[in-house]
Structures are given as C-alpha cells and as structure tokens.
Amino acid sequence: MSFTGDYSEVADAQLDKLEQGPDAELYDAVLAACELVFAAPAVAQSYSAAVTTASGIVLRLPVAGHPPYKVFWTSARPRVEAVFPHP
C-alpha cells in the first residue's frame, strides 16, 4: 500500500489481491477511498452508508467510478475492514 493506516487482515489481503490484479485503475480508486477514510473521516462518513452487523456499525463507502466496489470501515479509530463488490 502507498500510505499508512489501520487495516484488518481481511482488508490487507483483499488490497494485495487487487494490487496484483489486472485493473490498476480500480486499485488506485480503492486506495483513494481508503486515503479519504484516514485523512478526512468525517467527509468519508458523509459519503458512506451505515450497515449494522453483529459486531456493531460498519460504514460502507462507494469506490468512485467503480461500482459495485465498496470500502467497509469503522469510524471509532478509522480502520478499513474490507474491500469488495457489494450492491
């Protein structure tokens, strides 16, 4: 990854897979979404939908220009939990 932040093991593995994949634009767009989460979490939250899980609330941020990809993150201390296509 090109910048630091807090990532779950799941998200880290998903980002590694995207980095090695054929779509560099998708990978760059996902990194831009992650960067927004860490640099401006209030702004990222305003673009996110809230999803209630058994573990609490997770925010779902769309990846610009790459539907249906979303970055799932938690806001207490911004942390990217997962990245995958989701309706």
Side-chain angles (χ1 to χ4, degrees):
M1 284 170 266
S2 62
F3 57 91
T4 59
D6 192 11
Y7 298 86
S8 72
E9 288 181 32
V10 169
D12 195 39
Q14 291 168 328
L15 289 167
D16 286 346
K17 186 175 179 181
L18 286 173
E19 182 179 28
Q20 296 166 7
D23 193 343
E25 287 182 15
L26 170 60
Y27 178 69
D28 289 343
V30 167
L31 288 184
C34 291
E35 187 172 15
L36 179 64
V37 164
F38 299 125
V43 174
Q45 188 169 353
S46 74
Y47 292 120
S48 297
V51 178
T52 302
T53 70
S55 300
I57 295 176
V58 176
L59 298 165
R60 185 183 70 194
L61 177 65
V63 176
H66 294 276
Y69 274 85
K70 309 287 188 300
V71 171
F72 292 82
W73 63 287
T74 51
S75 64
R77 183 181 83 198
R79 176 183 165 146
V80 173
E81 303 294 344
V83 177
F84 59 89
H86 188 268

